[in-house]
Every structure is written in structure tokens, then in C-alpha cells.
């Protein structure tokens, strides 16, 4: 068995222990993942049908200048991609710090949930901009 396989097994064992022993981490990871799923399906539901009509969609609105950034429809998936990246990074960091420093585990749990909510609100505003 290679060194990588041993570390991967150890990581999964630590992750399962984290999920079993910490209801805060389990709940935040589950809630963050569900918010990510909703954030992912919003552009599929509302923006992809517009892709046939408009090759470029408004991506950013500024109070002073109005719509100031346009782009291809698939740029709307940058926000969900960042959300998934943060959920993965948070899960890894929570697993790493669970045995060492529980306070950092709680920090990553709450901050990931907060970031996912911000990404969800950004996606809702992007959808409203394109309706």
C-alpha cells in the first residue's frame, strides 16, 4: 500500500469520526451542501433557457452605472463552483483540525455556512437581474 493510500484511508477515518462526533460539523456540512445544490440548480432552471435567446447575459449590476458586466451564460456557474470549492476545503480543514483544535473546526463550520448563504444570495440577485 502506498503512502498516499495510507493517508487517504486515515483521512476518511478521521472524516467519519468528525461526522459521528460533531453535530455542528455534520449539520453545517449538510446545510452547506444543500445550499450549494440549490445554488447550482438556480442557473440551470432560469439561465440556461435564456442561453438560446441571448448568447451574453448580464452578470453584474452596479448602482451607479447599471449593468456593467456581460458574459456567456456559463459564467453564471462560477458562483456554484466557488461554493463547492469552499465546501470541500472546509470539510478537509474541519477533518484536519478536529483532533487538534476544536475551535477552528467550529470556525470553519460556521464560516462555510455563512459563505454558502452569501453565494446563494448572489445567485438569487443574478437570477433576478436576468428575469
Amino acid at each position: 500500500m502506498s503512502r498516499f493510500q495510507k493517508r487517504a484511508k486515515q483521512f476518511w477515518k478521521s472524516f467519519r469520526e468528525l461526522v459521528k462526533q460533531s453535530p455542528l460539523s455534520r449539520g453545517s456540512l449538510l446545510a452547506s451542501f444543500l445550499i450549494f445544490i440549490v445554488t447550482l440548480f438556480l442557473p440551470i432552471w432560469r439561465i440556461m433557457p435564456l442561453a438560446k435567446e441571448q448568447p451574453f447575459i448580464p452578470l453584474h449590476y452596479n448602482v451607479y452605472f447599471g449593468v456593467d458586466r456581460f458574459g456567456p451564460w456559463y459564467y453564471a456557474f462560477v458562483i456554484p463552483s466557488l461554493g463547492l470549492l469552499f465546501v470541500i476545503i472546509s470539510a478537509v480543514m474541519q477533518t484536519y483540525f478536529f483532533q487538534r483544535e476544536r475551535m477552528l473546526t467550529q470556525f470553519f463550520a460556521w464560516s462555510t455556512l455563512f459563505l454558502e448563504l452569501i453565494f446563494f444570495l448572489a445567485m438569487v440577485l443574478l437570477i433576478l437581474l436576468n428575469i
Side-chain angles (χ1 to χ4, degrees):
M1 190 179 310
S2 72
R3 213 167 96 190
F4 176 75
Q5 288 174 333
K6 288 179 185 177
R7 287 195 177 186
K9 270 187 164 182
Q10 182 182 6
F11 173 79
W12 288 114
K13 181 181 175 188
S14 298
F15 182 74
R16 285 191 301 267
E17 186 178 324
L18 167 75
V19 171
K20 284 181 187 176
Q21 292 182 7
S22 178
L24 172 64
S25 293
R26 178 177 50 239
S28 76
L29 285 173
L30 181 65
S32 295
F33 190 73
L34 290 175
I35 294 171
F36 157 72
I37 295 295
V38 172
T39 306
L40 177 66
F41 281 110
L42 277 174
I44 291 171
W45 175 54
R46 297 301 289 176
I47 298 217
M48 284 184 69
L50 295 175
K52 295 173 186 163
E53 300 168 10
Q54 304 171 344
F56 290 96
I57 61 169
L59 294 172
H60 187 261
Y61 180 82
N62 189 335
V63 174
Y64 300 111
F65 303 114
V67 175
D68 61 349
R69 183 162 183 207
F70 288 88
W73 61 270
Y74 52 86
Y75 279 12
F77 290 98
V78 169
I79 295 172
S81 301
L82 285 174
L84 179 62
L85 180 69
F86 278 112
V87 168
I88 292 170
I89 289 172
S90 174
V92 169
M93 297 306 284
Q94 285 182 50
T95 302
Y96 179 75
F97 287 119
F98 183 65
Q99 297 296 331
R100 294 165 184 82
E101 185 65 44
R102 299 272 172 118
M103 189 63 144
L104 282 174
T105 302
Q106 291 179 1
F107 169 75
F108 280 107
W110 286 111
S111 62
T112 303
L113 190 58
F114 181 70
L115 280 172
E116 289 297 325
L117 287 172
I118 289 174
F119 288 146
F120 172 72
L121 291 175
M123 183 54 69
V124 166
L125 292 174
L126 182 67
I127 297 297
L128 290 174
L129 180 63
N130 284 291
I131 291 181

